[in-house]
Amino acid sequence: MDLRIFEGSGKSPGEACSCGSRGGAGSRPGMTRRSFLRASVGAAGGMAAFAAAISPLRELEAGDVPNLDAFLQKHYKEMTEEEMEAALARIRERVEQRYHVRPEIRDIKPMDGVEFVYALNLSRCIGCRKCVHACVAENNQSRDPEIQYIRVIEMPRGTTDIEQGDHHYDRPRVPDENHYYMPVQCHQCANPPCTKVCPVEATWTEPDGITVVDYDWCIGCRYCEAACPYWARRFNFTEPRLASPEEIAKDPEIESKRLNPNMSYLSNRPRPKGVMEKCHFCLHRTREGRMPACLEVCPVGARKFGNVLDPESDVSNILRTKRVFVLKAELGTLPRFFYYFDERDPSAEDLPAMKHGGRTAPAGDENGGAS
Amino acid sequence: MSNGKAQHHGSQHGERSTGSVSAWLIGPAFVLLALLILFVIPTEEIPLVATPAVRAASLSTAPRRTPLGDPPVININGVDHRCNDCHSIIQPRDVPPDQLQQHKDVVLRHGMNNRCYNCHDEANRELLHTIDGTTTYTHSEKLCASCHGRMYRDWTRGAHGKTMGSWDPDNPAFHRLTCVQCHDPHSPMFDPIEPLPGPHTLRMGHPGSAHQAEVRAERNPLLQWSEREGTGGASSNGGHD
């Protein structure tokens, strides 16, 4: 059919196609309209891509160019102790140069016989977002633009459908009586989709269950961000910005933008531009026995953390005795982050004395004061 | 078709030498263009929204309350008093809390538990009165357990309450906050509080949000940018991410 359309123009085959000869036999026959368009579109596309690719060079500062040692730095798992020390020394120098703070940076290895698990009591969470900001302050996330690991979703009561949730809620007071609050952060999956898609193995799961990123190995392809079903990974589109002590001295209001000097290689050291980052259960704290920052700041005690291999730990008790669930269980990611509810006392709300103020409660009766 | 195609190819073959010259011209032209874009034409950064600062006090990890010690001491008009300083002399009747002559600062909102002597020991005011005896102020959780048995059970297991210091029960820093370090025993429910600011990522504005108009005007840098440029083309950017 196509042939007929071409031939139906009434011209001879030669006239139809040798467009370049229209200008006369003497004009430049080498460049037909088609070849010109093809070449120019291709070249324009190529040049635009080239310009876009090299445009970050415009923002390059002298300190940003890696020296040969940094360029040849190996993958975290392949570094010897001396090489790690050299890498840490480079980071120390760079942080001091940039933020005028001498960091306490080290590489902390996982503890034997420890597997970390998080549990969160949804009956308690009030959605105050203190965990979000304590995490930011602890982990040296970029402040401008803002990167947050924890997303608190305000959910209508009666559903667990995340689609109905809203994490931009902006109320004068929380909690709202018609909603409950569900903080989501990295679930440190036992079957993580994010590490499988990494083309350079810059992210992996450590023996204590924490999925980490080697920020110096990450190439910033963001495959892991796309693979994560919990929206737990964040990308540094710009160089992370924090406040230096001088800036804070000028403006005490920005105290919370101060750099936290307690850092480790795999957790909260300042990230370079163009790499992924994520929650790492505050491994520079938890691998030394301490609690994560988000837990310690929680004003209602909704957050629980511990070693699931220890049968007497808080989280082991919760997994044994509470009704726990994981988010998007159907995906088979096997999260190490569990949600649970308190069981309600069904009689508590029906007690008329609760509302109108009666006499002494019968001894041993559990009444509604608990909630 | 095949006929025309063959002819077209033929003409290309014949004119390869002149064609490659023009390609050589196109190349440098676009390199020049790229350099122009790179170094001469100014680019405007999309403005970032200033992140609101969070006061350090709002991120305090200290317990909400400092409970009374043992023996309990309260400060009245700048003078420290022990309970029995007064109550060894005065023995008030068991009246409803709204008829109290003293301790008027106490707000009692504890459900049906609305009598002083339900919890305070009538004989010795420096002790607390549990279901089966007395306990000191430093072990007030025994009193709470008299009624809130399930909460107490959960607290001893770490499912309720707050464990601080360490996640490892064998670590000396491991400790659990007691009931009254968080809850006011007279009105144990927490009051609603002001939440800290939400995410200020680049794209802002939730379609269902009541504050959408403000959010879009103030916080969406793409919208700010497009409005200033007068394009208005980013009006569809209010979608959630």
Side-chain angles (χ1 to χ4, degrees), chain A residues 332-354:
Chain A
T333 51
L334 307 179
R336 290 188 179 88
F337 197 102
F338 297 88
Y339 297 95
Y340 67 100
F341 288 92
D342 283 334
E343 66 269 44
R344 291 184 74 100
D345 182 350
S347 64
E349 288 186 354
D350 301 331
L351 288 173
M354 274 270 306

Side-chain angles (χ1 to χ4, degrees), chain A residues 169-351:
Chain A
Y169 64 89
D170 187 12
R171 297 181 184 281
R173 291 280 181 277
V174 286
D176 179 67
E177 60 182 11
N178 297 320
H179 293 88
Y180 71 99
Y181 296 85
M182 185 175 206
V184 180
Q185 61 203 78
C186 175
H187 283 22
Q188 314 290 1
C189 305
N191 183 21
C194 56
T195 61
K196 290 176 192 167
V197 297
C198 182
V200 294
E201 292 186 39
T203 178
W204 66 92
T205 303
E206 293 266 292
D208 57 1
I210 301 176
T211 295
V212 294
V213 182
D214 182 349
Y215 309 119
D216 290 338
W217 204 256
C218 175
I219 57 171
C221 69
R222 303 173 65 202
Y223 280 24
C224 53
E225 186 182 19
C228 174
Y230 305 107
W231 196 41
R233 285 176 171 262
R234 303 287 183 271
F235 185 66
N236 285 281
F237 280 100
T238 67
E239 181 87 27
R241 262 171 286 192
L242 293 101
S244 68
E246 292 82 28
E247 289 171 294
I248 293 165
K250 271 185 236 157
D251 181 9
E253 280 285 295
I254 57 171
E255 169 63 37
S256 65
K257 299 186 181 182
R258 185 190 287 277
L259 185 85
N260 172 18
N262 172 27
M263 23 178 113
S264 82
Y265 184 91
L266 288 177
S267 63
N268 62 339
R269 67 182 166 111
R271 273 72 68 181
K273 177 179 174 175
V275 303
M276 289 313 292
E277 58 177 289
K278 62 183 279 298
C279 162
H280 38 72
F281 279 178
C282 282
L283 67 82
H284 55 284
R285 294 165 66 104
T286 51
R287 282 183 181 175
E288 293 182 339
R290 297 169 66 199
M291 283 291 197
C294 51
L295 184 148
E296 290 207 327
V297 82
C298 181
V300 292
R303 291 171 165 268
K304 310 291 170 193
F305 182 79
N307 176 14
V308 77
L309 301 182
D310 173 6
E312 293 309 308
S313 69
D314 290 2
V315 286
S316 296
N317 282 323
I318 289 165
L319 295 189
R320 259 201 313 274
T321 60
K322 289 288 184 179
R323 287 186 182 178
V324 299
F325 73 95
V326 295
L327 203 53
K328 303 190 183 180
E330 69 279 12
L331 298 178
T333 51
L334 307 179
R336 290 188 179 88
F337 197 102
F338 297 88
Y339 297 95
Y340 67 100
F341 288 92
D342 283 334
E343 66 269 44
R344 291 184 74 100
D345 182 350
S347 64
E349 288 186 354
D350 301 331
L351 288 173

Side-chain angles (χ1 to χ4, degrees), chain B residues 59-216:
Chain B
L59 299 180
S60 165
T61 58
R64 295 168 81 112
R65 302 182 72 249
T66 309
L68 294 174
D70 187 33
V73 174
I74 59 170
N75 191 298
I76 301 171
N77 299 331
V79 183
D80 283 346
H81 292 280
R82 285 183 56 173
C83 306
N84 286 342
D85 290 353
C86 299
H87 286 285
S88 54
I89 307 163
I90 309 160
Q91 284 296 335
R93 290 178 301 114
D94 184 10
V95 294
D98 52 356
Q99 295 170 26
L100 282 176
Q101 301 299 308
Q102 295 293 324
H103 299 301
K104 286 190 166 185
D105 55 324
V106 170
V107 179
L108 191 60
R109 282 183 301 168
H110 199 142
M112 60 168 60
N113 179 14
N114 63 351
R115 285 294 193 278
C116 305
Y117 299 142
N118 287 355
C119 298
H120 295 279
D121 192 57
E122 194 163 1
N124 180 357
R125 297 303 163 81
E126 294 177 3
L127 294 177
L128 296 166
H129 181 78
T130 66
I131 186 173
D132 54 358
T134 56
T135 184
T136 61
Y137 271 71
T138 44
H139 289 95
S140 58
E141 67 272 8
K142 299 268 191 294
L143 166 65
C144 305
S146 298
C147 296
H148 304 285
R150 288 199 299 213
M151 281 301 159
Y152 179 71
R153 179 201 66 196
D154 282 354
W155 177 75
T156 56
R157 290 171 177 170
H160 179 95
K162 194 167 170 185
T163 306
M164 295 286 281
S166 175
W167 48 264
D168 181 2
D170 299 327
N171 189 312
F174 177 97
H175 66 282
R176 297 215 164 100
L177 299 191
T178 59
C179 316
V180 289
Q181 281 183 286
C182 297
H183 297 279
D184 180 347
H186 294 121
S187 54
M189 272 181 79
F190 295 143
D191 287 329
I193 60 170
E194 187 186 350
L196 295 183
H200 285 70
T201 45
L202 277 177
R203 282 195 292 161
M204 283 290 299
H206 183 74
S209 148
H211 298 261
Q212 188 188 0
E214 302 158 42
V215 164
R216 294 183 65 171

Side-chain angles (χ1 to χ4, degrees), chain A residues 26-221:
Chain A
S27 73
R28 300 175 51 221
M31 184 170 290
T32 61
R33 173 182 293 229
R34 178 175 294 185
S35 72
F36 174 77
L37 286 177
R38 190 183 290 157
S40 53
V41 167
M47 285 305 149
F50 177 69
I54 62 169
S55 61
L57 292 175
R58 303 172 70 174
E59 296 156 25
L60 206 62
E61 295 165 20
D64 290 342
V65 184
N67 62 18
L68 191 63
D69 287 342
F71 187 71
L72 294 176
Q73 182 179 315
K74 290 183 191 159
H75 187 274
Y76 174 83
K77 291 181 183 174
E78 293 173 349
M79 273 194 270
T80 63
E81 271 184 35
E82 297 82 55
E83 285 166 338
M84 175 51 78
E85 271 312 309
L88 293 177
R90 280 195 294 274
I91 295 166
R92 249 176 238 125
E93 199 177 316
R94 177 136 168 67
V95 169
E96 199 166 5
Q97 193 181 25
R98 195 176 167 84
Y99 299 104
H100 315 289
V101 177
R102 184 83 181 162
E104 301 272 331
I105 182 166
R106 60 242 187 259
D107 173 40
I108 315 170
K109 298 290 181 193
M111 303 160 89
D112 283 337
V114 172
E115 184 179 340
F116 290 125
V117 155
Y118 216 113
L120 201 148
N121 188 344
L122 291 174
S123 304
R124 296 286 143 196
C125 181
I126 57 170
C128 66
R129 295 200 185 102
K130 280 180 195 275
C131 52
V132 177
H133 293 273
C135 167
V136 169
E138 174 69 28
N139 289 314
N140 293 325
Q141 279 105 310
S142 174
R143 306 301 205 278
D144 301 296
E146 193 169 59
I147 288 183
Q148 298 174 344
Y149 292 166
I150 305 172
R151 177 177 50 150
V152 184
I153 307 175
E154 186 180 71
M155 301 276 288
R157 284 195 181 273
T159 179
T160 53
D161 177 14
I162 303 280
E163 293 289 315
Q164 297 182 40
D166 173 19
H167 65 280
H168 289 298
Y169 64 89
D170 187 12
R171 297 181 184 281
R173 291 280 181 277
V174 286
D176 179 67
E177 60 182 11
N178 297 320
H179 293 88
Y180 71 99
Y181 296 85
M182 185 175 206
V184 180
Q185 61 203 78
C186 175
H187 283 22
Q188 314 290 1
C189 305
N191 183 21
C194 56
T195 61
K196 290 176 192 167
V197 297
C198 182
V200 294
E201 292 186 39
T203 178
W204 66 92
T205 303
E206 293 266 292
D208 57 1
I210 301 176
T211 295
V212 294
V213 182
D214 182 349
Y215 309 119
D216 290 338
W217 204 256
C218 175
I219 57 171
C221 69

